[in-house]
Amino acid sequence: MIRSILMATFVFGFIFTAEAQSKKLMYSCQLQDEWLQAKNLSAGINIEDLDHATITIKSESETVVCPMAVETVQDASRSRIARIIFSMTPAGCSPQEKLFHRNLRRRVELFVDAHPDAKGSAQLSWRHRGARSECKETVNNLKSHGIGNKFHPPAAASKNGSGTR
């Protein structure tokens, strides 16, 4: 009996911890990059807050985590475009013998489509000699932090039927 109560407590604790982690994240996405796929790797980026982010690269046998400092967050929304740009600088990766941060750009940029009708699309400029890669959104808590609210669609031109000539 006590064992089943402890086991249930452990399982529920794990679930609540996972939910708290996803609520704590500001933004998260999974990279869709041909270079990663060719090397049988997967990667994702997590932005914890306006100061810290990580890029995680996984293979079948190991995981490399590269912390990044968020330099700027720009709400580049205007007219019909609603976009947020995160500019980040990578630091050393762990484990340290995996010097993967040498493959990262000096300034990693994440372009998030903040349009209300967007289907979770983002692009990441992250790798030397690589174009922008698509990044599939998994967590988006940007609006709760006041980011991406700048977008205001243009008002429809109202026609006045009682005009004079």
Side-chain angles (χ1 to χ4, degrees), residues 59 78 83 142-143 154:
S59 70
R78 61 185 186 282
R83 181 166 56 177
L142 295 172
K143 297 248 187 221

Side-chain angles (χ1 to χ4, degrees), residues 78-105:
R78 61 185 186 282
S79 184
R80 295 182 183 181
I81 298 169
R83 181 166 56 177
I84 299 155
I85 303 169
F86 288 91
S87 181
M88 300 165 278
T89 54
C93 299
S94 65
Q96 288 193 348
E97 59 271 8
K98 299 291 179 185
L99 297 174
F100 190 83
H101 67 281
R102 290 184 180 170
N103 293 324
L104 299 176
R105 292 183 185 208

Side-chain angles (χ1 to χ4, degrees), residues 50-124:
L50 293 175
D51 295 321
H52 304 93
T54 56
I55 188 164
T56 306
I57 300 148
K58 295 180 183 180
S59 70
E60 291 180 9
S61 60
E62 62 186 340
T63 301
V64 177
V65 179
C66 301
M68 294 188 288
V70 178
E71 283 186 344
T72 61
V73 180
Q74 178 186 3
D75 194 343
S77 303
R78 61 185 186 282
S79 184
R80 295 182 183 181
I81 298 169
R83 181 166 56 177
I84 299 155
I85 303 169
F86 288 91
S87 181
M88 300 165 278
T89 54
C93 299
S94 65
Q96 288 193 348
E97 59 271 8
K98 299 291 179 185
L99 297 174
F100 190 83
H101 67 281
R102 290 184 180 170
N103 293 324
L104 299 176
R105 292 183 185 208
R106 288 184 187 180
R107 188 161 281 111
V108 175
E109 292 182 322
L110 177 67
F111 300 86
V112 179
D113 187 357
H115 194 282
D117 297 331
K119 294 182 174 76
S121 63
Q123 291 183 337
L124 184 68

Side-chain angles (χ1 to χ4, degrees), residues 14-32:
F14 179 77
I15 291 171
F16 289 129
T17 303
E19 283 183 24
Q21 177 67 21
S22 69
K23 288 181 183 176
K24 197 186 296 185
L25 285 176
M26 184 180 285
Y27 190 83
S28 179
C29 64
Q30 291 294 316
L31 272 162
Q32 320 257 310

